[in-house]
Amino acid sequence: PDMSSRDLSLFQHGAIGACVGTLEVLIMQPTVYWKATLQQQQFSLAKAINPRYCYRGVVPAALSMTPITGIQFSVNASWLTGVERFKGEPGAFDRLLGGLVAGAASALVMSPAQLVEINQQNHGGTMASTTRAVVQRYGVAGLYKAYSMTALREGSFCTAYIALAPLLREAMARRYPDLSGATTLTASSLVAGVIGGLTSHPADTLKTRMQGDVLREAPENVSVRASYRRLQPGGALRQLYAGAAPRTLRIVCCTLIYGSLRELFEGLLLSG
């Protein structure tokens, strides 16, 4: 009988997620630096094209992405397996909700990792010294500053690439059966990536600004509400979407990379 991704174990789904996430970071890390500096109004073209700056923090980013995408893939697979056992074939809503759950679960790892990464980019130093500085000031709980915004952002992003893009691709394949697999993959990644980028960006901006304030603002001024209040009156929407272009570009590319590599690795495992 034909085999599908449902025949893979949760460990295999997690391993695929870990691999594709790490490879994507190594390709797209400069766009993270561009986005963060635009959001914090610190963008410099000279630094943006200098690998010493735009690849600063790539090691913690890659190391953190390995478990994060592994968690997203395995939690999503676990969710869909549970839905199938409880009510049968997962529908579109079940798949979208699975992406939200998987993204929120992965934020438990991503939130502290990105807090350290952002402050390392802003202040230099090592992962260890940055982590020590945060813990000395706030305790271990300080590493989870902006977790709620990270969970909201990751839920939206994960839903876009892990559920919305495949759903759109399947719909296009049914309606336009003559289109090639590469065409439907690219088109669905573009649409899903743009939707994921625009819906999650305000949460990402507040998360980035709040985490960037951890070592330069008084502790009582480090909160989602305080970060929102510091937006310029009359220009809040523009500031909430600052850096949206490089981030949405990354999400579109990420969705395409994830989709392509996921298909490749699943095919290799199923044929092995």
Side-chain angles (χ1 to χ4, degrees):
D2 291 338
M3 298 182 71
S4 71
S5 62
R6 302 278 179 83
D7 296 298
L8 297 175
S9 68
L10 293 182
F11 174 80
Q12 288 173 316
H13 280 290
I16 290 172
C19 290
V20 300
T22 302
L23 290 172
E24 186 273 336
V25 168
L26 296 177
I27 296 169
M28 300 298 296
Q29 177 67 13
T31 64
V32 179
Y33 178 79
W34 304 339
K35 182 268 301 181
T37 54
L38 282 167
Q39 287 175 324
Q40 298 174 83
Q41 300 178 328
Q42 298 172 355
F43 184 81
S44 162
L45 181 59
K47 291 183 177 179
I49 61 176
N50 186 336
R52 288 181 56 196
Y53 291 95
C54 65
Y55 269 95
R56 181 183 285 175
V58 69
V59 173
L63 290 176
S64 68
M65 190 58 71
T66 300
I68 287 163
T69 46
I71 290 169
Q72 290 177 349
F73 274 58
S74 58
V75 169
N76 180 67
S78 180
W79 170 271
L80 295 179
T81 298
V83 169
E84 188 172 21
R85 289 176 179 170
F86 180 72
K87 55 173 280 190
E89 184 70 19
F93 177 77
D94 300 313
R95 292 166 67 178
L96 293 169
L97 188 56
L100 283 171
V101 172
S106 69
L108 292 169
V109 175
M110 176 168 269
S111 187
Q114 289 202 327
L115 184 145
V116 171
E117 178 189 351
I118 286 171
N119 283 280
Q120 187 181 4
Q121 288 174 342
N122 289 345
H123 306 289
T126 64
M127 289 176 60
S129 64
T130 303
T131 301
R132 278 197 303 271
V134 174
V135 171
Q136 285 171 358
R137 194 170 192 190
Y138 299 94
V140 175
L143 294 171
Y144 281 91
K145 290 287 185 182
Y147 168 76
S148 60
M149 291 295 99
T150 309
L152 182 59
R153 182 201 67 177
E154 283 306 295
S156 301
F157 161 63
C158 187
T159 299
Y161 87 77
I162 212 167
L164 181 59
L167 285 168
L168 290 173
R169 188 182 185 191
E170 292 163 14
M172 281 189 281
R174 286 193 301 269
R175 183 159 185 175
Y176 306 104
D178 294 333
L179 290 177
S180 67
T183 299
T184 56
L185 174 64
T186 302
S188 62
S189 297
L190 175 61
V191 174
V194 170
I195 292 173
L198 295 180
T199 57
S200 64
H201 198 77
D204 181 70
T205 296
L206 290 173
K207 177 205 76 73
T208 301
R209 292 173 72 99
M210 182 177 169
Q211 290 181 330
D213 288 339
V214 163
L215 294 179
R216 66 183 174 212
E217 293 284 346
E220 61 270 19
N221 292 329
V222 181
S223 67
V224 175
R225 181 176 296 181
S227 294
Y228 184 80
R229 282 202 303 263
R230 279 194 285 275
L231 297 174
Q232 294 176 3
L237 185 62
R238 177 181 57 80
Q239 290 177 76
L240 284 174
Y241 276 94
R247 180 169 178 270
T248 301
L249 170 64
R250 185 191 179 184
I251 291 178
V252 169
C253 294
C254 174
T255 305
L256 180 59
I257 292 167
Y258 280 15
S260 302
L261 293 178
R262 180 183 187 180
E263 197 170 76
L264 171 65
F265 289 135
E266 285 182 354
L268 290 173
L269 288 173
L270 292 170
S271 64

mmCIF file of all heavy atoms in Angstrom, residues 34-35 38-39 201 205 238-239 241-248:
data_model
loop_
_atom_site.group_PDB
_atom_site.id
_atom_site.type_symbol
_atom_site.label_atom_id
_atom_site.label_comp_id
_atom_site.label_asym_id
_atom_site.label_seq_id
_atom_site.Cartn_x
_atom_site.Cartn_y
_atom_site.Cartn_z
ATOM 1 N N TRP A 34 18.087 42.437 9.870
ATOM 2 C CA TRP A 34 17.476 43.614 9.254
ATOM 3 C C TRP A 34 16.156 43.961 9.929
ATOM 4 O O TRP A 34 15.881 45.117 10.227
ATOM 5 C CB TRP A 34 17.237 43.377 7.757
ATOM 6 C CG TRP A 34 18.462 43.002 6.987
ATOM 7 C CD1 TRP A 34 19.768 43.236 7.334
ATOM 8 C CD2 TRP A 34 18.506 42.311 5.742
ATOM 9 N NE1 TRP A 34 20.622 42.727 6.382
ATOM 10 C CE2 TRP A 34 19.878 42.155 5.386
ATOM 11 C CE3 TRP A 34 17.537 41.801 4.879
ATOM 12 C CZ2 TRP A 34 20.285 41.514 4.218
ATOM 13 C CZ3 TRP A 34 17.936 41.162 3.707
ATOM 14 C CH2 TRP A 34 19.290 41.026 3.392
ATOM 15 N N LYS A 35 15.325 42.949 10.148
ATOM 16 C CA LYS A 35 14.024 43.164 10.768
ATOM 17 C C LYS A 35 14.164 43.743 12.174
ATOM 18 O O LYS A 35 13.497 44.711 12.542
ATOM 19 C CB LYS A 35 13.258 41.837 10.791
ATOM 20 C CG LYS A 35 11.854 41.891 11.363
ATOM 21 C CD LYS A 35 11.775 41.589 12.857
ATOM 22 C CE LYS A 35 12.296 40.229 13.211
ATOM 23 N NZ LYS A 35 12.185 39.969 14.674
ATOM 24 N N LEU A 38 15.379 47.413 12.117
ATOM 25 C CA LEU A 38 14.316 48.305 11.648
ATOM 26 C C LEU A 38 13.283 48.534 12.747
ATOM 27 O O LEU A 38 12.826 49.664 12.968
ATOM 28 C CB LEU A 38 13.639 47.705 10.408
ATOM 29 C CG LEU A 38 14.390 47.851 9.080
ATOM 30 C CD1 LEU A 38 13.761 46.952 8.017
ATOM 31 C CD2 LEU A 38 14.394 49.302 8.605
ATOM 32 N N GLN A 39 12.917 47.455 13.447
ATOM 33 C CA GLN A 39 11.921 47.572 14.507
ATOM 34 C C GLN A 39 12.403 48.449 15.647
ATOM 35 O O GLN A 39 11.612 49.128 16.296
ATOM 36 C CB GLN A 39 11.549 46.182 15.032
ATOM 37 C CG GLN A 39 10.682 45.377 14.061
ATOM 38 C CD GLN A 39 10.424 43.974 14.548
ATOM 39 O OE1 GLN A 39 11.299 43.354 15.154
ATOM 40 N NE2 GLN A 39 9.245 43.461 14.291
ATOM 41 N N HIS A 201 2.931 39.968 12.503
ATOM 42 C CA HIS A 201 3.978 40.982 12.666
ATOM 43 C C HIS A 201 3.771 41.926 13.845
ATOM 44 O O HIS A 201 4.751 42.251 14.541
ATOM 45 C CB HIS A 201 4.180 41.788 11.379
ATOM 46 C CG HIS A 201 5.482 42.507 11.365
ATOM 47 N ND1 HIS A 201 6.681 41.876 11.107
ATOM 48 C CD2 HIS A 201 5.803 43.800 11.638
ATOM 49 C CE1 HIS A 201 7.669 42.747 11.198
ATOM 50 N NE2 HIS A 201 7.164 43.916 11.519
ATOM 51 N N THR A 205 6.651 42.608 16.579
ATOM 52 C CA THR A 205 7.231 43.916 16.880
ATOM 53 C C THR A 205 7.223 44.191 18.383
ATOM 54 O O THR A 205 8.235 44.606 18.964
ATOM 55 C CB THR A 205 6.462 45.029 16.148
ATOM 56 O OG1 THR A 205 6.620 44.851 14.738
ATOM 57 C CG2 THR A 205 6.977 46.402 16.548
ATOM 58 N N ARG A 238 2.059 52.143 11.889
ATOM 59 C CA ARG A 238 3.281 52.126 11.072
ATOM 60 C C ARG A 238 4.434 51.497 11.836
ATOM 61 O O ARG A 238 5.192 50.710 11.278
ATOM 62 C CB ARG A 238 3.642 53.563 10.663
ATOM 63 C CG ARG A 238 4.942 53.669 9.859
ATOM 64 C CD ARG A 238 5.238 55.120 9.508
ATOM 65 N NE ARG A 238 5.325 55.968 10.685
ATOM 66 C CZ ARG A 238 6.413 56.034 11.464
ATOM 67 N NH1 ARG A 238 7.480 55.291 11.195
ATOM 68 N NH2 ARG A 238 6.434 56.843 12.504
ATOM 69 N N GLN A 239 4.551 51.808 13.121
ATOM 70 C CA GLN A 239 5.638 51.242 13.911
ATOM 71 C C GLN A 239 5.432 49.754 14.197
ATOM 72 O O GLN A 239 6.388 48.986 14.246
ATOM 73 C CB GLN A 239 5.776 52.008 15.228
ATOM 74 C CG GLN A 239 6.312 53.419 15.036
ATOM 75 C CD GLN A 239 6.358 54.171 16.343
ATOM 76 O OE1 GLN A 239 7.238 53.947 17.174
ATOM 77 N NE2 GLN A 239 5.400 55.065 16.551
ATOM 78 N N TYR A 241 4.223 47.725 12.211
ATOM 79 C CA TYR A 241 4.586 47.003 10.986
ATOM 80 C C TYR A 241 5.985 47.363 10.489
ATOM 81 O O TYR A 241 6.351 47.021 9.379
ATOM 82 C CB TYR A 241 3.544 47.231 9.895
ATOM 83 C CG TYR A 241 2.374 46.275 10.039
ATOM 84 C CD1 TYR A 241 1.229 46.647 10.731
ATOM 85 C CD2 TYR A 241 2.442 44.986 9.522
ATOM 86 C CE1 TYR A 241 0.178 45.758 10.898
ATOM 87 C CE2 TYR A 241 1.393 44.097 9.678
ATOM 88 C CZ TYR A 241 0.264 44.484 10.369
ATOM 89 O OH TYR A 241 -0.766 43.585 10.526
ATOM 90 N N ALA A 242 6.778 48.033 11.345
ATOM 91 C CA ALA A 242 8.169 48.311 10.982
ATOM 92 C C ALA A 242 8.904 46.983 10.827
ATOM 93 O O ALA A 242 8.768 46.074 11.642
ATOM 94 C CB ALA A 242 8.837 49.152 12.065
ATOM 95 N N GLY A 243 9.689 46.864 9.774
ATOM 96 C CA GLY A 243 10.423 45.624 9.542
ATOM 97 C C GLY A 243 9.590 44.518 8.931
ATOM 98 O O GLY A 243 10.055 43.382 8.801
ATOM 99 N N ALA A 244 8.341 44.834 8.541
ATOM 100 C CA ALA A 244 7.455 43.792 7.999
ATOM 101 C C ALA A 244 7.967 43.242 6.669
ATOM 102 O O ALA A 244 7.797 42.048 6.387
ATOM 103 C CB ALA A 244 6.040 44.344 7.826
ATOM 104 N N ALA A 245 8.588 44.097 5.862
ATOM 105 C CA ALA A 245 9.035 43.637 4.543
ATOM 106 C C ALA A 245 10.094 42.533 4.635
ATOM 107 O O ALA A 245 9.904 41.453 4.048
ATOM 108 C CB ALA A 245 9.550 44.820 3.720
ATOM 109 N N PRO A 246 11.233 42.738 5.356
ATOM 110 C CA PRO A 246 12.210 41.651 5.424
ATOM 111 C C PRO A 246 11.681 40.417 6.155
ATOM 112 O O PRO A 246 12.020 39.285 5.800
ATOM 113 C CB PRO A 246 13.398 42.268 6.169
ATOM 114 C CG PRO A 246 12.855 43.456 6.884
ATOM 115 C CD PRO A 246 11.745 43.963 6.018
ATOM 116 N N ARG A 247 10.830 40.641 7.158
ATOM 117 C CA ARG A 247 10.311 39.477 7.890
ATOM 118 C C ARG A 247 9.338 38.682 7.023
ATOM 119 O O ARG A 247 9.364 37.440 7.009
ATOM 120 C CB ARG A 247 9.625 39.917 9.187
ATOM 121 C CG ARG A 247 9.087 38.734 9.974
ATOM 122 C CD ARG A 247 8.654 39.130 11.377
ATOM 123 N NE ARG A 247 8.099 37.963 12.045
ATOM 124 C CZ ARG A 247 6.815 37.627 11.996
ATOM 125 N NH1 ARG A 247 5.950 38.378 11.323
ATOM 126 N NH2 ARG A 247 6.382 36.550 12.609
ATOM 127 N N THR A 248 8.453 39.381 6.292
ATOM 128 C CA THR A 248 7.518 38.669 5.422
ATOM 129 C C THR A 248 8.261 37.965 4.297
ATOM 130 O O THR A 248 7.909 36.841 3.917
ATOM 131 C CB THR A 248 6.469 39.652 4.860
ATOM 132 O OG1 THR A 248 5.757 40.254 5.948
ATOM 133 C CG2 THR A 248 5.474 38.929 3.965
#
